[in-house]
């Protein structure tokens, strides 16, 4: 009877807690902040150049390859001791590890524990789940073809076109996704997840 409330509570806590670490870092509570970063670490790559930042000059710092109007990650992080002695422009395993462990600083702000796309996915699932409540008795599941087209298609195209441009593949010039694309594709994926799964869950729970 309460399955939807349980799912929505989980989505609220999961999304909301991912936004807490930068608040804690700003307040000087690095211990609790690092605990939350560690908790979310297996669930997201946490690359600083693909994450939201709070309390800094910008809300995000995409790599220079993204061609964004925002200050690039390479420029913003160049003077931070965390990246001392390494090139921020070369795609290396060391860069990925450093960008994953980098929490931020006073100038850039502090990153969230989930990346831009993941925040968009789970926040949209929460909002779509709330919108589902008054429709739960009437809404039919999304057709599979529509889920593939709107849910998996954009996020797959955006993500894989980026992945396959980097080593070891390098099928085409490096493509780094803009934050706006990450939000859009994540939001579509989250919305379609709810539209496909929640009506089936409702029917199953009613039968039970």
């Amino acid at each position: 009877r309460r399955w939807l409330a349980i799912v929505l509570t989980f989505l609220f806590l999961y999304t909301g807690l991912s936004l807490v670490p930068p608040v804690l870092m700003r307040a000087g509570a690095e211990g609790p902040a690092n605990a939350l970063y560690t908790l979310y670490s297996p669930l997201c790559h946490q690359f600083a150049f693909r994450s939201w930042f709070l309390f800094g000059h910008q809300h995000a710092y995409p790599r220079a390859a993204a061609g964004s109007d925002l200050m690039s990650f390479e420029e913003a992080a160049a003077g931070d001791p965390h990246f001392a002695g390494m090139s921020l422009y070369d795609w290396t395993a060391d860069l990925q590890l450093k960008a994953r462990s980098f929490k931020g600083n006073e100038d850039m702000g502090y990153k969230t524990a989930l990346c831009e796309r993941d925040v968009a996915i789970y926040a949209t699932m929460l909002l779509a789940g709330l919108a589902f409540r008054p429709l739960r008795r009437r809404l039919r599941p999304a057709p599979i073809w529509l889920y593939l087209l709107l849910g998996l298609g954009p996020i797959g195209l955006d993500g894989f076109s980026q992945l396959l441009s980097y080593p070891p593949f390098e099928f085409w010039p490096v493509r780094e996704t803009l934050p706006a694309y990450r939000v859009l594709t994540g939001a579509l994926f989250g919305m379609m997840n709810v539209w496909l799964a929640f009506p089936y869950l409702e029917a199953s729970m009613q039968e039970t």
Side-chain angles (χ1 to χ4, degrees):
R1 292 177 182 176
R2 302 295 180 186
W3 76 268
L4 183 57
I6 293 170
V7 170
L8 293 178
T9 300
F10 170 79
L11 288 170
F12 174 77
L13 293 174
Y14 186 75
T15 308
L17 284 175
S18 73
L19 309 179
V20 171
V23 179
L24 294 174
M25 292 291 289
R26 175 77 170 185
E30 294 189 17
N34 286 329
L36 284 173
Y37 282 124
T38 301
L39 178 66
Y40 280 91
S41 181
L43 309 171
C44 179
H45 56 66
Q46 295 184 339
F47 289 151
F49 46 78
R50 296 176 187 166
S51 299
W52 297 118
F53 277 73
L54 302 181
F55 311 113
H57 295 306
Q58 296 179 171
H59 60 278
Y61 298 88
R63 299 194 75 211
S68 171
D69 294 333
L70 297 169
M71 179 188 292
S72 70
F73 174 76
E74 291 89 338
E75 183 181 357
D80 193 281
H82 188 80
F83 299 101
M86 64 177 297
S87 171
L88 298 176
Y89 290 90
D90 297 327
W91 186 254
T92 62
D94 191 30
L95 171 64
Q96 296 174 60
L97 289 172
K98 289 285 189 178
R100 179 180 174 88
S101 60
F102 179 64
K103 309 299 192 306
N105 55 44
E106 290 186 3
D107 292 329
M108 294 177 65
Y110 301 96
K111 71 176 183 179
T112 55
L114 289 175
C115 70
E116 297 155 358
R117 200 185 322 260
D118 281 3
V119 170
I121 290 172
Y122 296 109
T124 302
M125 288 185 69
L126 174 61
L127 295 175
L130 290 170
F132 172 74
R133 291 193 68 176
L135 305 174
R136 60 193 300 178
R137 307 292 185 185
R138 303 187 303 276
L139 185 67
R140 293 177 176 272
I144 293 297
W145 66 267
L146 188 60
Y147 178 77
L148 294 175
L149 180 66
L150 294 181
L152 294 182
I155 198 171
L157 182 62
D158 192 46
F160 277 105
S161 66
Q162 176 181 259
L163 173 66
L164 297 177
S165 71
Y166 280 108
F169 306 104
E170 299 181 278
F171 292 153
W172 41 75
V174 169
R175 177 182 181 273
E176 184 67 25
T177 301
L178 289 167
Y181 291 161
R182 298 177 66 81
V183 171
L184 177 61
T185 56
L188 282 171
F189 182 62
M191 180 185 70
M192 295 306 297
N193 282 342
V194 169
W195 190 2
L196 177 68
F198 280 31
Y200 282 120
L201 282 169
E202 176 66 18
S204 176
M205 296 301 177
Q206 289 298 322
E207 289 176 5
T208 301

